[in-house]
C-alpha cells in the first residue's frame, strides 16, 4: 500500500484496517463500496494472504467491490448461495447520532442496502468529517430511478420539497448509470426531520428503486480521526 500523507486518506486507511481486523475466519462478509471500504477489502485480502484469516466468502455490493475483491484474492459468493451474511463493512456519506446514514455517493446504495441490511452485524467505516447532527446537512440524498420514470420522479420529489438534480458522469459524457442500468437523482432537502418517513415516502414514488437513507441498519460505527497528529479509530 502506498504511504498516504493526506489526513483524510490516513483516516480512511486506519478505519478500513480496524474494520477488516474484526472479520473472523469462516465468515460470509458483505463488501461495501467506496474509497474507505476499498481499504477494508485490501486489508481482508492481506489477512487471507498471511494466513491470519481463513475460509471467508465475500458478497460484493457493486462492480467496484467485486473488482477489488478479485484483485485482493477474496473468494466471492452470491445471496442465492448463502443463508446468512455474518458481517458487512461499508462506508457512508453522513452519519447522525442515531446511527442513521446517507449513502450512495458511489451510486451503489441499492445493492448496499440489500447486503448491509441482511448482515448480522453492519459495521460502518467513516472518517470524522462524515459525522453530522442532522442528515442532509452537507450531502445531497441519492435516489436511484429507472430511466423511463426520471421526469415524473423528479416532479414528485419537488412536490415533497426536494430540489432534485440528475447526477452527471465524471470523465464520461451524460448521466451516471448505476450497476443496475438506472439513473441517480441527488436531492437537496432543507431539513430531513424524519429520515424513516422520508425513506418510505421516496421509495413509494413509482419508478424509484431505492434511496440512500439507511435507517436503523447500522450496528457499529467506526470513525477514523486524527488526534494530536496521530491517526486513531473510535467506536461510537
Ligand atoms: C457508495 C457509498 C459509499 O460507501 C459512500 O459514498 C462513502 O464513500 P467513501 O468511503 O469513498 O467516502 O455509499 O454508494
Amino acid at each position: 500500500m502506498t504511504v498516504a500523507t493526506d489526513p483524510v486518506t490516513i483516516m480512511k486507511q486506519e478505519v478500513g484496517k480496524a474494520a477488516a481486523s474484526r472479520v473472523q475466519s469462516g465468515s460470509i462478509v458483505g463488501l461495501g463500496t467506496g474509497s474507505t471500504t476499498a481499504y477494508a477489502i485490501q486489508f481482508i485480502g492481506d489477512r487471507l494472504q498471511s494466513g491470519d484469516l481463513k475460509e471467508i466468502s465475500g458478497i460484493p455490493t457493486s462492480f467496484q467491490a467485486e473488482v477489488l475483491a478479485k484483485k485482493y484474492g477474496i473468494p466471492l459468493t452470491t445471496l442465492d448461495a448463502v443463508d446468512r451474511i455474518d458481517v458487512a463493512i461499508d462506508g457512508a456519506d453522513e452519519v447522525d447520532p442515531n446511527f442513521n446514514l446517507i449513502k450512495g455517493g458511489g451510486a451503489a446504495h441499492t445493492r448496499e442496502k440489500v447486503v448491509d441490511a441482511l448482515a448480522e452485524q453492519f459495521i460502518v467505516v467513516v472518517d470524522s468529517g462524515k459525522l453530522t447532527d442532522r442528515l442532509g446537512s452537507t450531502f445531497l440524498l441519492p435516489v436511484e430511478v429507472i430511466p423511463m420514470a426520471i421526469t415524473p420522479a423528479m416532479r414528485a420529489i419537488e412536490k415533497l420539497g426536494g430540489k432534485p438534480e440528475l447526477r452527471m458522469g465524471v470523465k464520461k459524457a451524460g448521466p451516471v448509470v448505476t450497476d443496475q442500468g438506472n439513473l441517480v437523482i441527488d436531492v437537496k432537502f432543507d431539513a430531513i426531520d424524519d429520515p424513516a418517513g422520508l425513506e418510505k415516502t421516496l421509495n413509494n414514488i413509482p419508478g424509484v428503486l431505492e434511496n440512500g437513507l439507511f435507517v436503523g441498519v447500522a450496528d457499529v460505527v467506526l470513525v477514523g480521526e486524527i488526534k494530536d497528529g496521530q491517526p486513531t479509530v473510535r467506536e461510537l
Side-chain angles (χ1 to χ4, degrees):
M1 191 174 63
T2 48
V3 180
T5 50
D6 148 57
V8 174
T9 306
I10 293 170
M11 289 190 275
K12 287 181 181 205
Q13 283 178 345
E14 290 300 315
V15 77
K17 193 173 188 171
S21 72
R22 293 185 179 213
V23 174
Q24 294 180 1
S25 292
S27 302
I28 297 164
V29 186
L31 302 172
T33 300
S35 55
T36 318
T37 316
Y39 291 116
I41 294 173
Q42 183 176 352
F43 285 119
I44 290 171
D46 289 350
R47 288 187 62 203
L48 280 172
Q49 211 178 358
S50 71
D52 176 43
L53 191 61
K54 291 185 174 56
E55 288 166 19
I56 71 150
S57 301
I59 301 204
T61 56
S62 62
F63 188 56
Q64 182 213 27
E66 185 179 331
V67 167
L68 287 172
K70 286 177 180 163
K71 176 174 174 186
Y72 295 115
I74 301 172
L76 294 176
T77 187
T78 66
L79 291 177
D80 297 322
V82 298
D83 58 2
R84 64 177 206 285
I85 298 175
D86 296 296
V87 61
I89 300 172
D90 208 344
D93 302 298
E94 283 189 347
V95 181
D96 82 2
N98 298 316
F99 287 17
N100 295 324
L101 318 174
I102 286 184
K103 286 184 51 55
H109 55 279
T110 299
R111 288 197 202 183
E112 290 175 323
K113 200 179 281 190
V114 173
V115 171
D116 298 344
L118 279 172
E120 280 296 310
Q121 187 182 51
F122 170 27
I123 303 175
V124 181
V125 285
V126 288
D127 58 81
S128 55
K130 305 287 186 66
L131 302 181
T132 182
D133 284 335
R134 197 158 71 166
L135 293 179
S137 314
T138 56
F139 204 81
L140 305 184
L141 177 61
V143 181
E144 180 168 358
V145 181
I146 66 170
M148 60 85 75
I150 202 76
T151 302
M154 282 172 110
R155 284 194 199 116
I157 287 169
E158 276 169 348
K159 280 195 186 141
L160 293 174
K163 293 184 193 71
E165 260 176 41
L166 183 62
R167 189 182 299 182
M168 302 307 284
V170 177
K171 291 198 177 177
K172 186 255 178 204
V176 165
V177 178
T178 68
D179 290 359
Q180 292 74 239
N182 296 314
L183 304 176
V184 175
I185 300 172
D186 290 307
V187 188
K188 173 72 190 156
F189 283 101
D190 285 337
I192 300 180
D193 295 323
D194 174 16
L198 184 61
E199 182 184 15
K200 289 192 181 74
T201 303
L202 286 168
N203 282 357
N204 255 344
I205 297 172
V208 168
L209 188 59
E210 190 54 87
N211 68 81
L213 283 166
F214 282 45
V215 177
V217 184
D219 298 300
V220 173
V221 178
L222 298 180
V223 184
E225 297 177 316
I226 304 279
K227 279 256 164 77
D228 303 324
Q230 292 303 314
T232 58
V233 175
R234 176 165 62 104
E235 178 173 341
L236 295 187

